[in-house]
Amino acid sequence: MLEKTDQFRERTIKTEPIFDGKIISLQVDTIELPDGKTATREIVRHPGAAAVLALIDDKMLVVEQYRKPMEKFQIEIPAGKLDAGEDPMAAAARELEEETGYRAGKLRPLSAFYTSPGFADEKLYVYLAEDLVKGESAPDEDEFLAVEAITFEQAQQYMKEERISDAKTILAVYAWHIYRLTGEI
């Protein structure tokens, strides 16, 4: 088993801010490698995000929206970025209600992971929503999406078709599969 060790740590010598946007910032760090040489690292800073696996009558709530970076529509579980200082569970509850209109009576943590640790610090928190109550959706003004409750078989088909192709939704589908097999997540 690998042990944590400082012998491979990269020490930052200089940070050059490149871009500071609404969602991300970009910086280029000059670092010292473990062998004493220098290199650069392009780093995307992101405040983090929260996502929700919400199940109703053995169907998963999803949203479909156009994703400009990929130039295609994607089917995803409800999710969104954390506001400054926001608790991830509160963000998950907020995003679920904003995007789908449903409120969760209870949220349980499923997982948390770094989306692209080779160049970004975004950490995504995934929750299971239980005891759902229907309300009114209120998406952000620049958010245009369709809400649907899909079956497990539809989710599998959408993954084959790459209509579901993001890590958080794939993780949610696999968690749902385990839940369907064992009754527990």
Side-chain angles (χ1 to χ4, degrees):
M1 184 161 114
L2 295 174
E3 294 182 27
K4 288 184 180 179
T5 176
D6 277 342
Q7 77 184 36
F8 299 123
R9 186 177 302 273
E10 299 176 348
R11 187 177 66 82
T12 303
I13 298 169
K14 178 179 90 172
T15 297
E16 181 185 351
I18 303 296
F19 173 78
D20 189 22
K22 182 176 136 184
I23 297 174
I24 63 160
S25 63
L26 174 63
Q27 68 191 51
V28 176
D29 284 3
T30 302
I31 54 115
E32 181 182 353
L33 297 168
D35 65 2
K37 295 177 183 172
T38 61
T40 59
R41 301 287 187 250
E42 296 171 354
I43 300 172
V44 174
R45 298 288 183 196
H46 186 284
V52 182
L53 167 56
L55 300 174
I56 300 173
D57 300 324
D58 201 31
K59 291 185 177 183
M60 180 173 72
L61 282 179
V62 293
V63 297
E64 184 171 21
Q65 60 188 318
Y66 190 75
R67 291 301 198 181
K68 184 63 179 166
M70 298 170 349
E71 297 286 357
K72 68 179 196 171
F73 286 92
Q74 277 291 140
I75 295 171
E76 304 173 21
I77 59 174
K81 79 173 187 64
L82 303 178
D83 292 333
E86 186 176 25
D87 175 70
M89 190 177 289
R94 174 179 50 77
E95 288 295 334
L96 176 65
E97 187 169 3
E98 283 178 6
E99 293 187 358
T100 70
Y102 281 89
R103 270 177 268 131
K106 185 165 88 172
L107 285 171
R108 286 194 296 161
L110 285 181
S111 185
F113 60 93
Y114 290 95
T115 58
S116 298
F119 66 88
D121 69 351
E122 178 187 18
K123 188 172 186 178
L124 196 139
Y125 301 83
V126 184
Y127 294 88
L128 172 66
E130 299 176 294
D131 305 326
L132 296 174
V133 177
K134 181 69 173 138
E136 290 295 318
S137 64
D140 294 336
E141 65 181 30
D142 65 347
E143 208 169 32
F144 298 90
L145 43 85
V147 179
E148 188 178 350
I150 63 172
T151 66
F152 184 74
E153 293 73 26
Q154 284 174 302
Q156 290 179 307
Q157 183 60 39
Y158 292 158
M159 286 169 51
K160 285 179 189 165
E161 296 169 358
E162 294 188 13
R163 292 179 67 196
I164 291 176
S165 62
D166 65 296
K168 71 183 179 304
T169 305
I170 292 170
L171 179 139
V173 171
Y174 288 133
W176 183 20
H177 183 62
I178 291 168
Y179 182 68
R180 294 178 90 224
L181 291 173
T182 68
E184 296 186 21
I185 291 184

